[in-house]
Structure formats: C-alpha cells, structure tokens
Amino acid sequence: MITDIYKNIGILGGTFDPPHKGHVYISNLAIKNLRLEKLFWSVTRQNPLKKFIPSISEKKRIFLCKKIIKENSKIKILNTKNIKKPDLTINIIKSVKKTLSNKVQLFFIIGADNLIDFHKWQNYKKIFELCTIVIINRPGYKKLAMKSLAAKKFANFKINISILKKRRLKKNEWIYVNNKGLNLSSSRLRISL
C-alpha cells in the first residue's frame, strides 16, 4: 500500500484562542483518516483576515495547546520562530516543505468554515499546489464551503479520501472529509469564559 511507503505529515493552523476539544477531535480524525505519522499545530499570533487581537497571549496559547495534546504523541507544536511572517499559511507550508523529502505527503487541515474565505488567503492557489488541503466538515458550513470561490476554482481536483489508500496524491488535489463534526469554536468559548 502506498501509504506504507510514503510518510504522511499534517499541519493544523490557527490562533487556538483558546485551544479546545474540537481541535483535538479534528486532529485525531485527520491522524486516523490520513494515516498521519505526525500532526503539527501551527499556533499563529494573529489571523491576517480578522481584526480582533487574540484574547490570550501567544505564549499562553502555546502552553495551553501543549497541555491539551500532552496525551497524544502524534500531535506536536510547530516551531515557527525562524519562519518569516509565520501568520501567513503560505510561509509556514514553504518552510515545512523545505525540511521534508519528496517522499513525504504534506496535508494542510482546515475546518469547512475556513474554505469559505480561502480565496482571500495570500497565494491560496500556491497552497493547493504545495500540499494536499483537507477540509474537515463542520456542522452548518458544508453548503457555503462547497460554493466558495476556492472550491469552485479547484472543483475538478476534489477527490475522495479512499484515493489516498491507492496512490500518492497529485498537485492541487484536495479532500473534503464528511464527518459528523463538533460544533465548537474558539470564539464561542471566549464568549462563555
């Protein structure tokens, strides 16, 4: 099986303000379905598309992330200190790609809500080219996500996750994982705190 030959590495980015069990849930879902050997959480200082400043300091968010994932040896925090403008996904992916051999399949995991505005991300087309984007379903977002500009632009490259068991994924291919999902968000948790 091809996935036994090539290593699978994933990245889950976000502000994690605060980290919660929804992050852990989609991480475990990605690890299982994509057969990831490692999943890196990339904790960003600030979401470039959002005006609000995170309510918790970056240092504290990293601490809380380490605490919530301590039982899972497959999830690690990505060190972004040497990455220029680490709040931009394209910079994180380019930096990580430089450290990987060509045999490693890199997955970038996002929630369905993020696909809606993905076309606004810097160099979003290049992100599709450099890694396999994996969209994890979130209740109430699938319709909007699948009508998004990015989903339409790359509609011909959408594949079923079962393809991963048969072959190495190709440039621009992406996966939508239909799961029951948890309707949790950091912003809701901040409101309730």
Side-chain angles (χ1 to χ4, degrees):
M1 188 177 294
I2 202 82
T3 48
D4 294 331
I5 300 167
Y6 296 100
K7 290 183 178 178
N8 295 332
I9 304 291
I11 299 173
L12 176 67
T15 52
F16 296 90
D17 183 33
H20 54 74
K21 64 181 181 179
H23 294 123
V24 176
Y25 171 80
I26 65 170
S27 296
N28 287 326
L29 188 72
I31 289 166
K32 180 183 174 191
N33 285 289
L34 305 171
R35 298 178 181 169
L36 300 179
E37 276 147 328
K38 286 284 180 228
L39 174 64
F40 293 96
W41 283 11
S42 179
V43 182
T44 58
R45 285 177 291 207
Q46 170 78 40
N47 181 327
L49 297 179
K50 292 182 180 174
K51 291 181 182 176
F52 78 87
I53 295 168
S55 59
I56 305 170
S57 73
E58 182 183 11
K59 188 176 180 180
K60 178 77 183 251
R61 284 181 281 129
I62 290 171
F63 169 79
L64 292 171
C65 284
K66 286 179 179 177
K67 189 175 176 182
I68 201 170
I69 63 172
K70 70 180 178 185
E71 301 297 319
N72 194 327
S73 63
K74 290 196 172 192
I75 305 173
K76 300 288 180 200
I77 304 300
L78 183 67
N79 182 350
T80 60
K81 286 184 176 140
N82 296 322
I83 299 174
K84 189 179 178 182
K85 294 185 182 177
D87 292 338
L88 298 175
T89 298
I90 187 68
N91 293 350
I92 292 167
I93 290 170
K94 282 181 176 179
S95 179
V96 169
K97 285 280 284 186
K98 285 179 188 175
T99 67
L100 303 176
S101 82
N102 290 334
K103 290 185 178 182
V104 176
Q105 184 85 47
L106 181 62
F107 297 92
F108 184 71
I109 295 111
I110 63 172
D113 55 319
N114 285 305
L115 186 59
I116 297 165
D117 289 325
F118 198 76
H119 63 282
K120 295 178 183 176
W121 294 26
Q122 188 165 327
N123 294 328
Y124 86 96
K125 293 176 190 172
K126 188 72 175 171
I127 296 171
F128 272 91
E129 188 180 312
L130 292 174
C131 62
T132 301
I133 309 242
V134 180
I135 293 91
I136 305 288
N137 187 50
R138 281 191 67 190
Y141 288 99
K142 185 173 183 179
K143 245 184 207 176
L144 281 173
M146 296 311 287
K147 288 181 180 178
S148 70
L149 289 178
K152 288 178 182 176
K153 173 81 179 166
F154 291 92
N156 293 336
F157 296 98
K158 183 177 175 285
I159 59 164
N160 190 297
I161 198 163
S162 63
I163 298 292
L164 181 60
K165 296 175 184 174
K166 299 173 185 167
R167 64 166 170 83
R168 185 168 169 80
L169 301 184
K170 298 173 186 170
K171 188 168 75 170
N172 294 327
E173 288 185 329
W174 59 285
I175 301 166
Y176 193 100
V177 178
N178 287 301
N179 61 297
K180 189 176 178 182
L182 287 179
N183 200 12
L184 281 177
S185 71
S186 293
S187 55
R188 281 188 184 175
L189 288 174
R190 282 194 302 275
I191 292 166
S192 66
L193 291 176

